Amino acid sequence: MSELWYKDAIFYELHVKAFQDGDGDGVGDFRGLTQRLDYVQDLGVDCLWLLPFYPSPLRDDGYDIADYYDIAAGYGTMADFEAFLREAHRRGIRVVTDLVVNHTSDQHPWFQEARRDASSAKRDWYVWSADDKKYRDARIIFVDTEKSNWTWDPVAHAYYWHRFFSHQPDLNYDNPEVQRAMLDALRFWLDKGLDGFRCDAVPYLFERDGTSCENLPETHAFLKRLRAEVDARYSNRILLAEANQWPEDARQYFGNGDEFHMAFHFPLMPRLYLGLRLEDTRPITDIFTQTPPIPPACQWGLFLRNHDELTLEMVTNEERAFMYYAYAYEPDMKLNLGIRRRLAPLLDGDRRRVELLNCLLLTLPGSPIIYYGDEIGMGDNVYLGDRNGVRTPMQWSRDRNAGFSSLEHGQLYLPVITDPVYGYEAVNVAAQARQPSSLLTTMRRLLAARRRSSVFGRGSIEFLRPRNSKVLAYLRRHARETLLIVANLSAAPQPVELDLKAFAGVTPIEMLGATAFPTIRTAPYFLSLGPHGFYWFRLERPGDGDEPFGIERTAI
């Protein structure tokens, strides 16, 4: 397969504990996940992204790592993980997981040694201070729970630095031993056959007074070293950056093609929701005008929802206020600077809007990342606290515990969703797999259509500018192939006239139904779209489309 496989890939994010309980203890594990790989394959997924599965006190759901070299006891054994990885690879599914590079748990042996003994070598593995006055220009990220980035440790008799929860002390990357330790952890898992890492919280590795302590040159220097280590020892592996930054800063995490292979496009995500609610294409087209070009071998990671809150850090204050008004009408729906809701409840369960946003996710430049359960329209429980409301068990069937676990009801790691609209008796895989018109069936069709063309993952984008600003239209081009995507952001039917005279004589083929539309002439091309409707067209001239395409296509 191509070294650029990630540009064509469809990613699927899941938490091991949330997908399938294989041993009946109420917690998902690698044995259960292995049993469900056929479902992932049938969905049309190329790569799984697993949330942290390392030993942890679980005060931050595994992002507080206590051991980088093992499997959390509830998820199984190292042998279970290795068997899962073999089975995934046998099906052609790659696997990446989180590497939490910025911080550890305060229960990690490194930190425990550091706090107990000021003369220990581990003391300098973390960032300490006699007071809490340094780095005052660094913002507080978890504004709902943390009042300072410094916490007093009564054992060490000093303050330690943390950009996130106070039980997650930041590592000191000015110490070469810390850098070597993280490279060792990376090699350990890649040697086992893992296909890469989503690197957590990468903008915050170094601290310097008088700066925001984000996006520093020293941080980029270490990340280039991380990439060089991967390139020197391994092939076809990727690094994906979690850098929640404005486009010009996020762009820097690609370097010159020598830093990350991929980075999330955080600023785009909330503007998809803004455009939909405003019924206006400008929030979407404007953010693309602010997005700098990236190196040819690099790729944006696109998403609608994930395991965290719908972050609103990369919007203006006015946009954030509108998003809260539109999508978080109850106080419990808000968290930090975001909204803790799943995709379907955010859109009031409106199938047309869910499908429309997935249309944009799958056709805009980048590789799409689907959050487990969103393909069936799973709901959430905002009253579970923190981000737990969007991390409930996968809903497989109407059976006890949604088919997730055989354990007695009420003993799961989190309760299943039981409300009348999104509860597992109404929303589950088994029921939707039998329905030709279900959301799951539609998602499978959309994913299959995307996989048939390399344009989506590798092509350029050109926005058309119709007078009707409720209709988003863009051309995607790669090699000799051109696709036209047209999407109605409005809840009402919309007409649109498109300037397609450059394609006069071409017959648009609607990709999802293989339907030929009227041939394009020099006059404006007229289309009518239903509420939140969309079209995917292939614009083929004679001789076009003769090349192979899709995930098996060789890089050009």
Side-chain angles (χ1 to χ4, degrees), residues 521-555:
R521 307 299 181 191
T522 54
Y525 194 78
F526 177 80
L527 288 169
S528 179
L529 296 96
H532 298 130
F534 55 86
Y535 292 117
W536 298 8
F537 292 113
R538 189 187 304 277
L539 305 181
E540 290 187 355
R541 292 185 172 91
D544 285 354
D546 295 337
E547 298 179 343
F549 48 75
I551 194 68
E552 299 293 341
R553 180 188 175 103
T554 302

Side-chain angles (χ1 to χ4, degrees), residues 6-7 11 49 197-199 202-203 220 223 227 238-255 259-269 291-292 294-295 297-303 365-369:
Y6 50 92
K7 301 195 76 165
F11 291 75
W49 161 24
F197 293 99
R198 176 260 197 190
C199 295
V202 294
H220 288 288
L223 295 172
R227 170 65 181 272
I238 66 164
L239 297 174
L240 167 60
E242 187 211 21
N244 190 355
Q245 304 288 320
W246 288 99
E248 61 271 21
D249 291 322
R251 160 63 181 86
Q252 301 308 311
Y253 287 90
F254 295 117
E259 208 160 316
F260 283 92
H261 302 80
M262 295 181 64
F264 293 111
H265 201 316
F266 278 99
L268 170 63
M269 179 271 298
T291 301
I294 62 177
C298 294
Q299 181 78 320
W300 290 111
L302 308 185
F303 64 102
S367 294
I369 301 162

Side-chain angles (χ1 to χ4, degrees), residues 2 7 78 89-90 102 110 143 154 171 200 206 254 268 288 377 384 397 404 408 419 434 457 474 484 551:
S2 164
K7 301 195 76 165
M78 187 66 75
H89 286 165
R90 187 173 68 82
N102 181 68
W110 297 344
V143 293
L171 289 161
D200 182 72
F206 286 80
F254 295 117
L268 170 63
F288 274 98
L384 289 177
S397 69
F404 165 76
E408 289 298 321
D419 70 65
R434 296 190 296 266
Y474 45 96
L484 168 66
I551 194 68

